[in-house]
Amino acid sequence: MEIVYVYTKKRSDFGRPCNFSERAAEVAVDIAPDPGAAAAFVPRNPVDAHVQHASDMSEHEVNTERVEVETRGVNHTEGGWPKDINAHEMEQTIRFRKKVEKDENYINTITHLGTLMEHCIKQNNAINIYEDYFGEEEMAEVEDEPPSAKTINVISKLMSVFGVLPPKRDPNITKRTATHLSWHPDGCKKLAVAYSSLEFQQNMKDMSFDSYIWDLENSNKPELVLKPSSPLVSLEYNPKDSHILAGGCYNGQIAYWDTRKGRLPVEVSTVEFSHRDPVYGTIWLQSKTGTECFSASTDGQVLWWDIRKLSEPTETLVLDVTRKGLLENALGAISLEFEPTMPTKFMVGTEQGIVITCNRKAKTPPEKISGTYSGHHGPVYALSRNPFYPKFFLTVGDWTARIWSEESKESSIMWTKYHLSYLTDGCWSTVRPAVFFTTKMDGTLDIWDFIFKQNDPSLSLKICDEPLFSLRLQDNGCFVGCGSKLGTVTLLEISSGLCTLQKNEKTLATAMFERETKREKILEARHREMRLKERVRSEIRYEEGKEEAPEEGPAELLERVRSDFLEAIEAELRRRERAEAK
């Protein structure tokens, strides 16, 4: 290419600042007016002029790019073996280990390191570096703090489909309910949520079956999408292996997932040997293998499973309170409770408002049903033993929450007031023995502290406008998750006053529960005595009436009932007329 001209500049002129100076104005161009151009203008009549009082502004938006965060895991395996040694062959590893242990260098190294380790162990035994010196002062400060809670996260299942789009963009006609929550056993970083539509005949053909595991530090999208064959009604982490989850499906099947193997279930129970109705409760058992669980459904059965072989249950119990073992007489289970400290006992809450206590180690199936508690007018939606005093347990149903004692089966020892809205779930606090939580159909979360007051909740929070359906407290007692009917999960952090054990609280709670149990026993004895006297009187009256009055025929009985009914109607009409006249 031919160079036409070269621009040059001195090196000293590069980067030199500009020097501006003031000078007088100069006329660059002066165009004189032309009178002859006026004839070319056309006058307009009328003339419309618009005046805007506000100054015109340009609209400008700036949207920063969202940071994509991805969680990765590292799998540690045994290593350090020579290439010619197969780590999976027991004989080769033992032979190599014996050879190394005979080496003088190995013995000298272990002897040297043993001296250093012994010094460190003696230091740890002498000084507790984690000792809390001012625990009493901090506890005294907590007592004066008013109860409160703050929302730290709101998770919607719609995010899993649309990223971070608002809920109004949901394409499904029928919303799915967050039916069950399960916290990760190793902390409060992850939450597994089961989603299902429990409305009768509301499952659409295009409705999603997915449930999700959420990473609370990156809740814009789920960490893992679980793909069951039927919507999950219950979902539980394995407390011994946090990679394993067991779920109960809407069609009655039991499935389990290994998060290391992906979104599909590892194994699913066969339909022939599964429940016939939705599985409302799935709980892991305390076993050596950590693979055993049991489930309950509204079909009236409790089934025990080993996830290593889900082809059929290992044990079956029919919830027939008549102890005949007939499935047609069984009560439908809607809640399930198991306390690890009592491995042979468990409790079942039924649709009929009855709580059934069971003993798995009984010899025959009828003997496994050890007792019943009846106190609710509808299904028992929640059932939870007190973590500090297992013989006291909480039930939630109809419009109340009730506290029961195993020693008093005829009635509960304490209860809340009757609410205007139906109660849907509840649980005890894991750190305070007299604090429990309840959710209601009006979207309210109530936190009760029975030592502080028993007529009203210590804290009542309006979480959302739709009904709350599920509730789960994290093991440290500071975080609570609430699932709504439209699938929104709200996470709240509770104030330290409600999740810190108060001074002498265990003593006060024990005294309160024992006092109410003793009072209820006295009332039960008095009621039994009164019922016995009334039965004797009624038998005497029946015998006297049988001797004096002739037997009433069907026609006379019908006429008497008809006249009593008409008299009651006339009395009610007269009462209303008097009320209107006033």
Side-chain angles (χ1 to χ4, degrees):
M1 183 182 293
E2 184 182 357
I3 298 175
V4 179
Y5 184 78
V6 178
Y7 292 88
T8 59
K9 192 174 184 180
K10 292 181 180 181
R11 178 66 183 86
S12 59
D13 293 339
F14 280 100
R16 178 177 293 178
C18 299
N19 293 325
F20 298 98
S21 60
E22 293 184 0
R23 67 174 187 177
E26 297 179 0
V27 179
V29 179
D30 186 11
I31 302 175
D34 184 7
F41 287 94
V42 179
R44 289 193 304 170
N45 187 22
V47 178
D48 294 330
H50 299 278
V51 180
Q52 179 65 276
H53 293 283
S55 59
D56 294 333
M57 305 288 289
S58 64
E59 184 178 355
H60 183 68
E61 293 181 356
V62 176
N63 189 16
T64 58
E65 293 185 2
R66 184 165 58 88
V67 177
E68 293 287 344
V69 181
E70 184 175 355
T71 304
R72 294 181 178 272
V74 178
N75 189 18
H76 297 276
T77 58
E78 185 178 354
W81 296 97
K83 293 183 179 179
D84 57 338
I85 300 296
N86 186 1
H88 300 289
E89 289 291 337
M90 184 70 69
E91 293 181 1
Q92 294 185 20
T93 55
I94 293 174
R95 195 180 305 118
F96 179 78
R97 199 176 282 116
K98 287 182 179 179
K99 179 182 175 181
V100 173
E101 289 174 355
K102 293 179 181 178
D103 190 1
E104 292 184 4
N105 187 26
Y106 172 80
I107 296 173
N108 294 332
T109 304
I110 292 297
T111 306
H112 174 67
L113 293 176
T115 307
L116 298 176
M117 184 60 66
E118 184 182 4
H119 174 70
C120 295
I121 292 173
K122 287 181 178 179
Q123 275 190 332
N124 289 340
N125 292 336
I127 302 172
N128 181 13
I129 62 174
Y130 300 106
E131 184 177 356
D132 189 3
Y133 294 97
F134 305 102
E136 296 182 359
E137 285 77 0
E138 292 179 1
M139 189 178 293
E141 294 177 3
V142 167
E143 291 176 357
D144 298 329
E145 181 184 2
S148 63
K150 63 179 180 180
T151 303
I152 58 174
N153 208 337
V154 178
I155 302 173
S156 174
K157 64 183 174 64
L158 308 170
M159 295 178 180
S160 64
V161 183
F162 297 99
V164 292
L165 294 180
K168 63 182 179 182
R169 298 287 297 275
D170 185 8
N172 291 327
I173 298 175
T174 305
K175 308 294 188 300
R176 294 190 300 149
T177 303
T179 54
H180 198 87
L181 311 178
S182 179
W183 288 95
H184 192 277
D186 298 334
C188 55
K189 302 294 184 183
K190 296 179 184 179
L191 183 68
V193 185
Y195 293 96
S196 178
S197 177
L198 299 178
E199 296 291 334
F200 182 64
Q201 293 183 343
Q202 288 295 317
N203 289 319
M204 303 298 178
K205 292 182 179 179
D206 58 344
M207 184 177 291
S208 173
F209 287 177
D210 299 347
S211 291
Y212 308 110
I213 296 176
W214 298 94
D215 184 354
L216 304 183
E217 294 181 348
N218 182 25
S219 58
N220 291 327
K221 61 179 181 180
E223 183 185 72
L224 183 64
V225 180
L226 304 179
K227 295 280 188 180
S229 58
S230 177
L232 290 178
V233 181
S234 57
L235 185 63
E236 280 291 340
Y237 270 108
N238 189 332
K240 284 192 174 182
D241 188 352
S242 59
H243 298 288
I244 304 296
L245 296 98
C249 300
Y250 187 81
N251 64 353
Q253 289 180 292
I254 299 295
Y256 90 93
W257 282 262
D258 189 335
T259 56
R260 296 164 293 192
K261 296 182 179 180
R263 58 180 60 185
L264 295 176
V266 179
E267 192 175 352
V268 183
S269 64
T270 56
V271 176
E272 294 82 3
F273 296 100
S274 300
H275 292 283
R276 303 176 185 179
D277 283 350
V279 182
Y280 283 95
T282 306
I283 297 181
W284 291 95
L285 292 168
Q286 291 285 352
S287 61
K288 294 180 180 179
T289 59
T291 58
E292 296 180 15
C293 62
F294 71 116
S295 59
S297 169
T298 48
D299 65 352
Q301 295 183 98
V302 177
L303 304 179
W304 282 264
W305 307 88
D306 192 328
I307 62 173
R308 295 173 297 182
K309 185 183 177 183
L310 279 179
S311 57
E312 58 181 341
T314 59
E315 197 176 337
T316 303
L317 174 64
V318 177
L319 298 174
D320 181 7
V321 293
T322 61
R323 293 175 173 81
K324 296 180 181 179
L326 300 176
L327 193 58
E328 56 266 22
N329 297 336
L331 304 181
I334 204 167
S335 58
L336 193 60
E337 197 282 331
F338 174 73
E339 174 59 40
T341 59
M342 308 167 71
T344 62
K345 293 184 178 181
F346 65 95
M347 305 178 75
V348 182
T350 64
E351 291 180 303
Q352 292 76 13
I354 297 174
V355 177
I356 303 174
T357 59
C358 305
N359 186 358
R360 187 187 178 189
K361 295 302 180 182
K363 295 181 180 180
T364 61
E367 293 177 359
K368 291 183 178 181
I369 298 177
S370 55
T372 58
Y373 301 83
S374 180
H376 287 284
H377 306 297
V380 181
Y381 287 115
L383 182 59
S384 174
R385 285 189 185 271
N386 191 304
F388 296 88
Y389 313 107
K391 71 175 183 179
F392 301 104
F393 59 93
L394 172 74
T395 60
V396 173
D398 52 65
W399 300 271
T400 61
R402 295 177 177 270
I403 299 174
W404 301 75
S405 172
E406 287 186 344
E407 301 173 2
S408 176
K409 293 190 176 183
E410 293 191 11
S411 60
S412 55
I413 60 171
M414 302 179 78
W415 53 87
T416 65
K417 65 179 181 181
Y418 275 80
H419 298 275
L420 298 177
S421 299
Y422 222 67
L423 271 65
T424 56
D425 204 353
C427 67
W428 286 102
S429 170
T430 56
V431 292
R432 294 192 56 190
V435 173
F436 61 92
F437 302 76
T438 58
T439 54
K440 295 190 292 188
M441 289 284 285
D442 60 358
T444 303
L445 169 68
D446 289 337
I447 305 177
W448 297 79
D449 186 351
F450 262 23
I451 288 182
F452 179 63
K453 58 180 177 179
Q454 301 175 8
N455 296 328
D456 296 296
S458 298
L459 181 63
S460 185
L461 300 170
K462 180 73 173 177
I463 305 297
C464 54
D465 294 328
E466 65 262 21
L468 291 177
F469 192 88
S470 53
L471 172 71
R472 196 64 178 267
L473 188 68
Q474 214 274 334
D475 288 340
N476 62 12
C478 298
F479 300 97
V480 63
C482 303
S484 74
K485 188 176 181 181
L486 300 183
T488 302
V489 179
T490 305
L491 304 179
L492 299 102
E493 183 179 3
I494 306 165
S495 62
S496 58
L498 289 171
C499 59
T500 304
L501 188 65
Q502 306 295 316
K503 192 175 182 180
N504 297 329
E505 182 174 0
K506 286 187 177 181
T507 306
L508 295 173
T510 305
M512 177 180 66
F513 290 146
E514 294 295 341
R515 180 187 69 240
E516 295 300 323
T517 303
K518 186 177 180 181
R519 178 186 64 83
E520 199 60 36
K521 284 181 179 180
I522 295 172
L523 290 176
E524 285 180 7
R526 178 60 179 162
H527 288 159
R528 281 195 295 269
E529 183 182 347
M530 292 173 64
R531 284 198 298 268
L532 181 60
K533 290 181 178 179
E534 184 62 31
R535 190 182 301 118
V536 172
R537 289 198 200 99
S538 62
E539 290 176 357
I540 294 173
R541 286 198 299 268
Y542 176 74
E543 293 295 332
E544 292 176 353
K546 191 175 180 181
E547 295 175 358
E548 295 176 1
E551 187 175 353
E552 192 176 22
E556 292 82 359
L557 178 62
L558 180 63
E559 182 62 28
R560 182 171 59 80
V561 171
R562 181 174 174 276
S563 60
D564 291 344
F565 175 74
L566 293 176
E567 288 177 2
I569 295 294
E570 291 175 0
E572 178 65 20
L573 291 175
R574 287 195 297 271
R575 187 189 65 79
R576 291 185 179 183
E577 289 176 359
R578 288 195 297 270
E580 291 176 358
K582 290 181 180 179

